[in-house]
Amino acid sequence: MTPASRISTSVLLTCAAIGVATGVLSAGAGAISGFVSAGAPILYGLVLAIHVLPGVVAQELLRRPWVALITHMIAALVASAVVPLWIGRYVGTALLIGLLQEGIAALGRYRRWESWRFFLSAVIVGVLIAVPIWFAADASRFVLWGQILYIALFLLGPVLWTAVGLAIGAALRRAGVSRSTRR
C-alpha cells in the first residue's frame, strides 16, 4: 500500500489548469518582450511582471503549500513549449518567483493569506528582477526621469499583476473551484 499523497489529484489538476493558462500568457509576454524592449524599453517591467501570476492565482485560490511552485513550473514548461530556446529563462524565473512566493506563505505557516503578503512578495520580485535587468539593459543610458520610471515600473508591474492574480483567484474561489480541491 502506498502512503497517501499530501497533494491531492484535484489540487494538482487545478495547478495544471492555472499553469497552462498563465503559461500561455507568459509565452505571449515573451513574444512581445523583444519588441517592447526595443521600442519602449521603459515598459519592459510591466511585461516581464506577468510571471508573478501563476503563483498568486494558485495560492489565492487553493491556499496550500507548494501550489505556487508547482503552478509556476507548469507555466514555465508550457511557455517553453512555445519558445523552447527560452526554457532556461522560463524555468529560472519560475523557480525564483515560485520559491519566493512559497517562502512568504511559509512564514505564515500557510495559514495566513492576507493580501499584503502577496504584495510584499511582488515588491521583492520587482527588486530582484529590476537590479540585474538594470545592468543588462544599461538603463543608465536613460535620462534621470526615465531611469526612475524604469525602476518604478519594475516595482509596480509585479504589484499590478498580483492584484490581477488576487482578483482571478478570488473570482475562482467565489465560483466554487476551491471546493472541488478539498483534501
Side-chain angles (χ1 to χ4, degrees), residues 55-88:
V56 173
V57 174
Q59 285 184 325
E60 174 62 18
L61 174 64
L62 299 170
R63 297 184 179 190
R64 287 185 170 41
W66 302 113
V67 297
L69 186 59
I70 292 167
T71 306
H72 272 287
M73 292 309 295
I74 292 168
L77 294 174
V78 168
S80 297
V82 177
V83 188
L85 183 63
W86 289 0
I87 189 169

Side-chain angles (χ1 to χ4, degrees), residues 103-176:
I104 297 290
L107 289 174
R109 297 181 153 204
Y110 293 101
R111 292 186 187 128
R112 305 188 58 108
W113 299 100
E114 300 94 353
S115 296
W116 71 265
R117 292 176 184 276
F118 291 95
F119 290 114
L120 174 62
S121 73
V123 170
I124 294 169
V125 165
V127 170
L128 289 175
I129 292 175
V131 171
I133 291 184
W134 172 275
F135 295 106
D138 189 25
S140 61
R141 73 180 190 264
F142 301 135
V143 295
L144 181 59
W145 68 265
Q147 293 175 24
I148 294 168
L149 183 59
Y150 190 77
I151 291 297
L153 291 179
F154 263 99
L155 298 175
L156 182 62
V159 170
L160 292 175
W161 282 110
T162 294
V164 169
L166 288 172
I168 292 168
L172 291 170
R173 181 178 280 281
R174 283 191 309 275

Side-chain angles (χ1 to χ4, degrees), residues 23-58:
V24 168
L25 290 174
S26 292
I32 67 166
S33 67
F35 298 110
V36 171
S37 212
I42 287 180
L43 300 178
Y44 187 56
L46 293 175
V47 174
L48 190 62
I50 197 167
H51 290 289
V52 302
L53 204 53
V56 173
V57 174

